[in-house]
Amino acid sequence: MTITPDFPEDYRAGFVCFVGRPNAGKSTLTNALVGQKVAITSNKPQTTRHTVRGILSDAKRQLVVVDTPGLHKPRTLLGERLNDVVRETLLDVDVIGFCMPADQKPGPGDKFIAAELDEVRRGRRTPVIAIATKADLVSRDQLAEHLIAIDQMGDFDEIVPCSAVNGEQLDLVRELIGDRMPLSPPLYPDDVLTDEPTDVMVAELVREAALEGVRDELPHSLAVVVEEMLPREDRPVDKPLMDVRVNVFVERPSQKAIIIGRGGSRLREVGTTAREQIEQLLGQRVHLDLHVKVAKDWQRDPKQLQRLGF
């Protein structure tokens, strides 16, 4: 389907960026608004490592939702580069959604981001909507206290609580963002849900599966790269098979042992979980070939960061 010129004169389209500290619910909110999984989620901080665009279209507007890494005080070169990605993104969007989870009191990390947003808005008046995510996890009284605390943090255009898990007030979030988008024709065809390259989405699904159940220090050391994706030759037309070869990088041999597990048991679990997700994404059967490799201290090595796509 192609973009049709038959859109209303008051049609609005633009970019909204969700920011917040790590694990603030940005990716879950992105997926809920788009209505399909376009960003991986995990209870581990700093799950998102690059901008992910999910596209939401209806008769009145098109929102290009940009999920970003969590803004934080970096301890590695990777952390610095992730923060740079967020800052660059903030300069190019029409609306900013500042996510602050309702089950955690606003703290130094939120104040750090609020100060960053003040800097961004100094040159241009980008609307900022404060979003109290994970509202389903707290009582009404706790939510009211959280909203008051948010209001005291800065000058926001709107403050709205929502739950991406149960859909509470998602329509309102969509309306508040959409009403602040510029008048514009659609930016993407209305059947497109993301502009993420397929190999990047495959790598992210493998990383999501690998993140489950690992110790706190390991998630930051995980990087995933798709080496190749090739259709298997000599397959029946109605039974295609995609061969996918993926490298999982860690920083130390001890971490490699954790990912592989006793007798390869953990790596098989990761492969099974990731393969099911990849088959849903590609709409066909997949043979997933996983390899775990050590890239020593890659988070602090400029050359290795570049090779791994950062």
Side-chain angles (χ1 to χ4, degrees), residues 202 226 228-230 242-246 278 282 286-290:
V202 167
V226 174
E228 63 179 14
M229 292 177 56
L230 296 171
M242 183 71 71
D243 284 310
V244 180
R245 180 182 173 88
V246 176
I278 295 168
L282 301 181
V286 166
H287 173 73
L288 180 60
D289 187 16
L290 293 180

Side-chain angles (χ1 to χ4, degrees), residues 113-216:
I113 295 169
E116 290 277 336
L117 294 180
D118 285 342
E119 284 293 317
V120 169
R121 302 176 84 192
R122 188 164 295 175
R124 48 180 295 196
R125 177 63 185 177
T126 305
V128 175
I129 297 173
I131 304 172
T133 56
K134 307 183 183 183
D136 58 300
L137 299 181
V138 298
S139 68
R140 287 189 176 185
D141 289 345
Q142 290 172 313
L143 182 58
E145 291 178 6
H146 187 66
L147 296 177
I148 292 171
I150 290 176
D151 186 45
Q152 293 172 343
M153 285 186 58
D155 180 22
F156 302 116
D157 293 83
E158 296 280 356
I159 301 174
V160 56
C162 78
S163 168
V165 173
N166 64 21
E168 182 182 353
Q169 300 225 113
L170 280 182
D171 287 343
L172 179 57
V173 172
R174 192 180 298 117
E175 290 284 341
L176 293 174
I177 294 170
D179 289 347
R180 288 168 172 78
M181 288 295 173
L183 293 171
S184 167
L187 304 172
Y188 291 86
D190 59 12
D191 58 348
V192 174
L193 296 179
T194 182
D195 64 356
E196 278 289 282
T198 301
D199 61 333
V200 172
M201 295 187 72
V202 167
E204 288 291 87
L205 289 172
V206 172
R207 188 163 66 91
E208 180 181 49
L211 282 171
E212 290 306 311
V214 298
R215 293 204 297 263
D216 289 342

Side-chain angles (χ1 to χ4, degrees), residues 9-44:
E9 290 185 2
D10 59 350
Y11 197 91
R12 296 180 180 272
F15 293 82
V16 54
C17 173
F18 290 138
V19 296
R21 51 192 164 88
N23 205 22
K26 303 179 295 296
S27 297
T28 305
L29 180 58
T30 296
N31 291 337
L33 286 173
V34 174
Q36 181 170 309
K37 184 174 185 173
V38 295
I40 70 170
T41 59
S42 170
N43 60 1
K44 305 296 182 183

Side-chain angles (χ1 to χ4, degrees), residues 216-228:
D216 289 342
E217 74 273 10
L218 187 51
H220 306 288
S221 299
L222 275 173
V224 179
V225 176
V226 174
E227 286 295 305
E228 63 179 14

